[in-house]
Amino acid sequence: MKNFPLSRQQDAQEFLIYFRMGLHEEVNRAAGKSRHSSRDLSKLSEVEAASGAWNRYLEIDNSRLVDTFVGQLRSNLECTTCGHSSVTFDPFWDLSLPIAKHQMKPVTLQNCLQLYTDKETLDGDEKPNCEQCNRRQKHSKSLRIYKFPKILVLHLKRFTPDGRKLDSMIDFPEKLDLKEYAAENAKESSTSYQLYAVSNHSGTVSFGHYTAYCRHPVSGQWYLCDDVRVEAASSNRIVSQQAYILFYEMI
């Protein structure tokens, strides 16, 4: 773990990405080169395009970790000038959710998911090229989940680009249904999840401490893991201002 020296503060999400990718590369079943990398998927139906994009990904990255952790997002770009839209399908290992802001009511995980999937405007330097107008134009972009992973990892973006940490209390449920964030022809039949672990960060941007809550798969009892100390915890302690990464399993 030379990229994560013990003498420095580290980020749990960055470590999780590094750790999973390291394991994945060791057990990758793929040959490493896609036979269909040049195939144009834009002329296919959405179901065919999604399947083609997923198969293309598996030809390069295919392991038990991919089977468990990777889902697929449907991204829709729509030109605000001519109305032309283009749809792409991309794999994801986790979802990094912006933290919604509400002055008069508590912030919920659903608020953050809604903010992540809502339409956003791409303008200025972010303007994509419109195939119909044949020039860069202002677009709207929206995301939906097409393929749901067995294990869903949700990263709450508590650290801002300007060096601040957001300590907002975010209310998240033990049972989560993502049906309203699913694409129209979503591949999985189940959109329901059960929370089984939470990674917490207490402290500031420059100094902090990580703990975790983990749910026993048989008894359902929650446990607090704090370095070498493990103790039973009440379920009403799970939601806190320190919650940083949420782990859900499909049910």
mmCIF file of all heavy atoms in Angstrom, residues 11 49 78 89 177 215-216 219:
data_model
loop_
_atom_site.group_PDB
_atom_site.id
_atom_site.type_symbol
_atom_site.label_atom_id
_atom_site.label_comp_id
_atom_site.label_asym_id
_atom_site.label_seq_id
_atom_site.Cartn_x
_atom_site.Cartn_y
_atom_site.Cartn_z
ATOM 1 N N ASP A 11 -8.019 9.259 2.717
ATOM 2 C CA ASP A 11 -9.455 9.332 2.486
ATOM 3 C C ASP A 11 -10.013 7.928 2.283
ATOM 4 O O ASP A 11 -9.488 7.148 1.485
ATOM 5 C CB ASP A 11 -9.739 10.201 1.260
ATOM 6 C CG ASP A 11 -11.225 10.314 0.983
ATOM 7 O OD1 ASP A 11 -11.902 11.048 1.724
ATOM 8 O OD2 ASP A 11 -11.711 9.661 0.044
ATOM 9 N N ALA A 49 -28.185 -0.905 -27.047
ATOM 10 C CA ALA A 49 -27.029 -0.060 -26.755
ATOM 11 C C ALA A 49 -26.508 -0.317 -25.343
ATOM 12 O O ALA A 49 -25.289 -0.382 -25.117
ATOM 13 C CB ALA A 49 -27.388 1.408 -26.932
ATOM 14 N N GLU A 78 -29.334 16.453 -23.905
ATOM 15 C CA GLU A 78 -30.313 17.045 -24.823
ATOM 16 C C GLU A 78 -29.914 18.473 -25.164
ATOM 17 O O GLU A 78 -29.688 19.302 -24.270
ATOM 18 C CB GLU A 78 -31.705 17.034 -24.201
ATOM 19 C CG GLU A 78 -32.779 17.554 -25.152
ATOM 20 C CD GLU A 78 -34.179 17.416 -24.583
ATOM 21 O OE1 GLU A 78 -34.372 16.600 -23.658
ATOM 22 O OE2 GLU A 78 -35.081 18.137 -25.055
ATOM 23 N N PHE A 89 -24.357 4.788 -22.038
ATOM 24 C CA PHE A 89 -24.429 3.904 -20.874
ATOM 25 C C PHE A 89 -23.017 3.675 -20.347
ATOM 26 O O PHE A 89 -22.122 3.274 -21.102
ATOM 27 C CB PHE A 89 -25.081 2.578 -21.258
ATOM 28 C CG PHE A 89 -26.524 2.723 -21.672
ATOM 29 C CD1 PHE A 89 -26.862 2.982 -22.997
ATOM 30 C CD2 PHE A 89 -27.539 2.621 -20.733
ATOM 31 C CE1 PHE A 89 -28.192 3.123 -23.381
ATOM 32 C CE2 PHE A 89 -28.868 2.767 -21.111
ATOM 33 C CZ PHE A 89 -29.195 3.019 -22.433
ATOM 34 N N ASP A 177 -35.414 2.107 -1.440
ATOM 35 C CA ASP A 177 -35.976 1.719 -2.735
ATOM 36 C C ASP A 177 -35.594 2.778 -3.764
ATOM 37 O O ASP A 177 -35.902 3.956 -3.599
ATOM 38 C CB ASP A 177 -37.499 1.594 -2.655
ATOM 39 C CG ASP A 177 -38.093 0.936 -3.909
ATOM 40 O OD1 ASP A 177 -37.368 0.812 -4.920
ATOM 41 O OD2 ASP A 177 -39.274 0.549 -3.871
ATOM 42 N N ARG A 215 -23.651 -4.250 10.259
ATOM 43 C CA ARG A 215 -24.840 -5.010 10.656
ATOM 44 C C ARG A 215 -24.583 -6.501 10.516
ATOM 45 O O ARG A 215 -24.140 -6.968 9.465
ATOM 46 C CB ARG A 215 -26.030 -4.581 9.787
ATOM 47 C CG ARG A 215 -27.346 -5.252 10.091
ATOM 48 C CD ARG A 215 -28.431 -4.689 9.155
ATOM 49 N NE ARG A 215 -29.718 -5.324 9.349
ATOM 50 C CZ ARG A 215 -30.089 -6.446 8.737
ATOM 51 N NH1 ARG A 215 -29.263 -7.031 7.872
ATOM 52 N NH2 ARG A 215 -31.272 -6.975 8.965
ATOM 53 N N HIS A 216 -24.853 -7.267 11.573
ATOM 54 C CA HIS A 216 -24.673 -8.706 11.527
ATOM 55 C C HIS A 216 -25.666 -9.307 10.537
ATOM 56 O O HIS A 216 -26.872 -9.020 10.604
ATOM 57 C CB HIS A 216 -24.885 -9.319 12.913
ATOM 58 C CG HIS A 216 -24.418 -10.734 13.021
ATOM 59 N ND1 HIS A 216 -25.131 -11.795 12.511
ATOM 60 C CD2 HIS A 216 -23.279 -11.262 13.558
ATOM 61 C CE1 HIS A 216 -24.476 -12.913 12.745
ATOM 62 N NE2 HIS A 216 -23.345 -12.626 13.383
ATOM 63 N N SER A 219 -28.270 -11.973 12.781
ATOM 64 C CA SER A 219 -29.043 -11.413 13.894
ATOM 65 C C SER A 219 -29.600 -10.030 13.604
ATOM 66 O O SER A 219 -30.581 -9.612 14.218
ATOM 67 C CB SER A 219 -28.172 -11.355 15.153
ATOM 68 O OG SER A 219 -27.135 -10.381 14.989
#
